[in-house]
Amino acid sequence: METLKLLMPTLEYGDQVMAFKQECLDIGSSMDGCGPLRRSNTAAEWLEDALSDTDPATLREGRVLATNFITVRQSDNTLVGMLQVRHYLNDYLEQFGGHIGYSIRPSERRKGYAKEQLRQALVWCKEELKLDKVLITCLTDNEASRRTILGAGGVYDGTVHEEEQSIDLERYWITL
């Protein structure tokens, strides 16, 4: 398997971030863990918005502190995934979103990258945030994400319906 690294996003990867977004849009992917990417028109706009979640002074109302990562394949410096770690849960995240959201670039799926990306994120959550457990959710029809979560030790906690988006989500807890 290729070596992956989680990196704090920078504009160096701006073109790849926007290509990632377009690939996801082309197939109707939900872009979980991409922070504000769906609503951003440029990489600079996305980066500024994503970085505002890392500082209590710039955190917008209703949001929680979060760290966004890009996942880069070391051999060719290609962005293969994106991941967001929420440092704590508000009421909405406690019910529907969880601590971690992640996506793999559509052209890079089915290579085991989600498993490794999540593994590294769980280590970061334990070491940097000192969390004992994390909540991760996935759409009920996302078999790949379910397998990734279960492979990381996820324990099923139930299924919930998110009314606003009219989606059903499975909830899993992972003990760190």
Side-chain angles (χ1 to χ4, degrees):
M1 164 127 131
E2 295 274 355
T3 302
L4 304 179
K5 57 185 174 182
L6 292 184
L7 300 175
M8 298 295 176
T10 65
L11 281 182
E12 172 189 351
Y13 293 94
D15 290 344
Q16 290 191 61
V17 166
M18 297 314 287
F20 181 103
K21 176 183 177 178
Q22 192 57 55
E23 276 190 46
C24 289
L25 289 173
D26 288 348
I27 67 161
S29 179
S30 60
M31 289 191 261
D32 298 319
C34 297
L37 185 58
R38 183 176 289 279
R39 66 178 180 270
S40 299
N41 295 314
T42 66
E45 182 182 325
W46 169 76
L47 183 60
E48 181 180 340
D49 204 3
L51 291 176
S52 73
D53 289 342
T54 65
D55 183 352
T58 57
L59 189 63
R60 292 158 299 183
E61 188 175 334
R63 310 263 310 165
V64 301
L65 289 176
T67 301
N68 290 278
F69 294 97
I70 57 173
T71 305
V72 175
R73 184 173 48 221
Q74 278 192 287
S75 64
D76 60 1
N77 206 36
T78 297
L79 187 153
V80 298
M82 298 181 91
L83 183 136
Q84 184 184 61
V85 176
R86 294 96 182 194
H87 298 193
Y88 53 89
L89 303 176
N90 61 18
D91 289 342
Y92 181 85
L93 293 172
E94 175 77 38
Q95 191 68 21
F96 304 111
H99 287 95
I100 300 174
Y102 57 88
S103 290
I104 297 296
R105 190 178 194 150
S107 61
E108 299 290 345
R109 292 179 180 167
R110 304 184 63 81
K111 297 178 182 179
Y113 293 161
K115 178 181 178 179
E116 176 58 16
Q117 177 180 248
L118 180 57
R119 185 195 69 75
Q120 290 184 33
L122 293 172
V123 169
W124 190 86
C125 287
K126 183 176 184 173
E127 292 178 357
E128 298 298 322
L129 299 179
K130 308 295 187 219
L131 296 175
D132 296 323
K133 63 181 183 173
V134 296
L135 175 65
I136 303 179
T137 65
C138 70
L139 294 168
T140 55
D141 64 352
N142 190 338
E143 182 61 33
S145 188
R146 178 184 304 108
R147 283 194 314 269
T148 297
I149 295 166
L150 289 171
V155 175
Y156 179 71
D157 184 57
T159 299
V160 294
H161 180 74
E162 202 279 316
E163 194 78 30
E164 189 173 304
Q165 297 179 56
S166 191
I167 55 175
D168 293 321
L169 297 158
E170 295 176 3
R171 297 165 36 89
Y172 295 87
W173 285 96
I174 298 176
T175 301
L176 304 178

